[in-house]
Amino acid sequence: VLTAQRVPVKIWTDDVDDKSKQQLANIASLPFIHHHVAAMPDVHLGIGATIGSVIATHKAIIPAAVGVDIGCGMVACRLSITANDLDEKSLKSVFDQISRDVPVGRGMHNNRHAFEEKAQPFELGLSRILEKHPALQKSICGTTKWVKQMGTLGGGNQFIEVCLDESDQVWIMLHSGSRGIGNTLAEYFIQLARKDMERWMIRLPDRDLAYFTECSEHFEDYVKALHWAQDYALQNRDCMLRLVLAALARHLPT
């Protein structure tokens, strides 16, 4: 436990480096942090705020602490088959099929209509965000990238896995986020938060801890953009899961 700050930092690991401890201390010194900051066993250095930490705030939000891959999360699906239904040849075929069907990194579906019907419901919400923040038009409006990235996997620590549980039941598990558009929205609002801090002459232990207070000019807009990107990320995982299930159905017993 770190106790030299305004609120304590509770750490659930003995393996945390000094730079991460400093970030945790910086967060705990902010005036709107509620009760304590929690650091999980996977805690490590991030942008402003540590990755693998839980930060409860009161009437304020830190965009960089929320992160730039808004809605990053996982989904798991248990199948009706077991390890006895798998062999090396069929697994290789499944791997190759998933690699063909699910673009990764900055990739996207070449066929614009691949998941257009799944992306269409998001157009209205996005247009409302763009109306209030025309500066985003240059990077988002007029491009179909966010539509074509629906049903695609990012890079870094994101993955698709066909795995077994302790009873040898087959599962699909995948980890992904809101793709390029979530990153664009996050970076934009992080910059707005920094400008707010400069305008109000608020000094921070780290400029990446810039925040919006409740009822401030951009707070509600950021929360709406956040919810939009979280919903997009959830739909993206659902689309990928459909692709992976179809890949398995082609090469494994049903």
Side-chain angles (χ1 to χ4, degrees):
V1 179
L2 305 179
T3 58
Q5 303 70 231
R6 192 185 68 83
V7 298
V9 178
K10 299 181 180 181
I11 304 174
W12 274 264
T13 179
D14 294 325
D15 183 20
V16 54
D17 62 90
D18 290 339
K19 289 184 178 180
S20 295
K21 286 182 180 178
Q22 184 58 58
Q23 278 194 336
L24 291 165
N26 290 343
I27 297 163
S29 70
L30 296 173
F32 50 82
I33 301 299
H34 177 67
H35 200 271
H36 71 277
V37 175
M40 300 295 101
D42 65 336
V43 65
H44 58 282
L45 199 69
I47 300 174
T50 50
I51 299 166
S53 56
V54 181
I55 307 164
T57 61
H58 180 65
K59 296 186 177 182
I61 193 167
I62 310 167
V66 173
V68 295
D69 193 8
I70 300 171
C72 188
M74 299 176 69
V75 64
C77 177
R78 187 177 67 179
L79 307 185
S80 59
I81 58 176
T82 68
N84 294 329
D85 299 308
L86 306 178
D87 59 61
E88 189 173 339
K89 182 179 179 181
S90 62
L91 284 174
K92 177 65 165 58
S93 298
V94 167
F95 177 86
D96 291 342
Q97 190 71 50
I98 294 172
S99 298
R100 288 191 295 269
D101 294 347
V102 183
V104 300
R106 297 189 178 185
M108 60 189 82
H109 291 284
N110 293 324
N111 177 6
R112 185 182 185 277
H113 302 289
F115 286 106
E116 187 174 14
E117 77 283 0
K118 299 295 183 181
Q120 188 175 8
F122 293 90
E123 290 183 1
L124 179 60
L126 182 60
S127 66
R128 288 173 176 169
I129 295 170
L130 295 175
E131 284 174 10
K132 295 201 68 175
H133 296 273
L136 277 165
Q137 301 266 355
K138 184 177 180 181
S139 54
I140 295 178
C141 192
T143 177
T144 59
K145 182 178 179 181
W146 69 273
V147 175
K148 294 164 75 173
Q149 281 195 324
M150 178 68 78
T152 66
L153 189 70
N157 64 351
Q158 299 185 9
F159 64 83
I160 297 171
E161 186 174 284
V162 177
C163 53
L164 301 175
D165 63 18
E166 63 277 4
S167 60
D168 280 346
Q169 198 79 27
V170 179
W171 287 72
I172 298 168
M173 184 164 62
L174 61 87
H175 171 220
S176 68
S178 50
R179 307 301 283 116
I181 191 163
N183 182 279
T184 298
L185 291 169
E187 293 287 358
Y188 171 77
F189 281 100
I190 287 171
Q191 294 300 323
L192 282 185
R194 287 175 179 169
K195 291 177 182 177
D196 282 356
M197 299 296 97
E198 292 172 3
R199 185 167 70 241
W200 299 331
M201 294 183 288
I202 294 176
R203 298 185 65 180
L204 296 168
D206 187 323
R207 67 193 297 261
D208 287 317
L209 293 176
Y211 57 88
F212 299 123
T213 56
E214 193 173 296
C215 298
S216 63
E217 181 181 1
H218 303 302
F219 181 92
E220 187 175 345
D221 290 349
Y222 173 65
V223 171
K224 288 180 179 178
L226 190 67
H227 288 165
W228 185 95
Q230 287 175 328
D231 290 342
Y232 178 91
L234 184 64
Q235 183 64 262
N236 182 50
R237 284 191 287 276
D238 182 73
C239 290
M240 274 192 290
L241 183 60
R242 292 169 184 264
L243 289 171
V244 175
L245 286 170
L248 267 71
R250 290 184 63 173
H251 302 284
L252 295 178
T254 55

